[in-house]
Amino acid sequence: MCIRDRYQRRVRGAGISNMAQVIEATGQCYCGAVKFGVNGPVVFNLLCHCRACQRSRSSCPVHLLAVGVDAMRFTEGEEHVRVAKGYGRMTNAFCTECGAGVYQCPEGAGFRALFPPSLSFPENEGRDEKICQLPESLRPTRHVNYENRTHDAEDSLPKFLVFGPDGEVDNSGNFLAR
C-alpha cells in the first residue's frame, strides 16, 4: 500500500472527512502570478494546531480546506509554483514571486490542503473586494492537534488532541467524558 492510500485511509478512518461537501472556487497567491480553480469534494475543513502548520505559516491555528489532487487545477502561473520539503513529511507549495503559500500536504497524499483566505467564491463575485467571509458551509468544522495549541480557543467547535476522532477535549484541553 502506498503512502497516499495509507494517508487517505487514515483521514477517512479518522471520521474527519467532509466528502459530502463540494467546493467551487478560484484562488490565487498574494501577487496574482499563480491562479487556480477548485471544483470537487472537500476532504477535510479544519483548524490545525500541529507544529508543521505553525512553523510553515507562522500562525496557530491554521485553517486548512483540503480537496483531492484532481479537484485543484492551475489556470495561470504554474511555472511560479515551487514545492519545498517542510517539517516532517509535509510539503509546502508557494509562489516564487511573492512567497505566498498555495497549498500544503504530506508527501504522496491524495489531497492538497488549501488556505481559505486565498480563495474567492462565486457567491461573492461582484461584491466589495473587502468581503472575505467564507460561505457558511465552508467554515472550519473542528480543531485538530489541539495538544500543540499556542492558546486556548474559546469557540464551540469540537477539539481533538490529535488528527482524528479520538481524544476530544474542551477549550482548555481537558478530556471530555465519553
Side-chain angles (χ1 to χ4, degrees):
M1 177 182 301
C2 73
I3 292 171
R4 177 181 175 171
D5 292 339
R6 275 193 306 231
Y7 198 85
Q8 286 178 317
R9 185 168 287 157
R10 179 177 162 212
V11 168
R12 278 194 295 271
I16 63 170
S17 176
N18 291 23
M19 292 295 255
Q21 198 175 22
V22 175
I23 181 174
E24 181 182 346
T26 57
Q28 70 175 49
C29 65
Y30 181 72
C31 72
V34 176
K35 295 184 179 175
F36 56 92
V38 182
N39 192 341
V42 173
V43 176
F44 58 78
N45 181 6
L46 47 80
L47 296 169
C48 186
H49 297 261
C50 79
R51 295 297 289 162
C53 285
Q54 288 180 35
R55 289 181 176 169
S56 68
R57 302 289 152 231
S58 298
S59 182
C60 185
V62 175
H63 185 183
L64 299 174
L65 195 153
V67 297
V69 172
D70 296 335
M72 180 191 173
R73 69 191 180 311
F74 289 101
T75 56
E76 226 176 281
E78 188 171 6
E79 69 275 11
H80 296 294
V81 176
R82 178 165 177 242
V83 178
K85 176 92 172 89
Y87 184 77
R89 291 185 37 237
M90 196 60 64
T91 61
N92 299 289
F94 63 93
C95 172
T96 58
E97 298 297 308
C98 65
V102 179
Y103 68 86
Q104 69 183 41
C105 60
E107 294 174 285
F111 65 85
R112 290 182 171 162
L114 307 173
F115 311 106
S118 69
L119 302 174
S120 297
F121 301 92
E123 52 267 42
N124 288 345
E125 283 183 22
R127 294 175 70 189
D128 186 334
E129 189 69 27
K130 295 176 185 168
I131 303 292
C132 297
Q133 286 222 337
L134 288 171
E136 186 73 33
S137 64
L138 293 174
R139 297 207 178 136
T141 60
R142 70 205 65 204
H143 291 264
V144 296
N145 299 309
Y146 198 67
E147 65 188 351
N148 296 314
R149 69 193 180 280
T150 58
H151 59 280
D152 290 346
E154 299 294 333
D155 60 35
S156 61
L157 294 176
K159 294 158 184 75
F160 298 90
L161 284 184
V162 295
F163 193 89
D166 298 326
E168 188 172 1
V169 295
D170 64 17
N171 292 339
S172 298
N174 302 308
F175 281 101
L176 295 176
R178 290 202 180 239

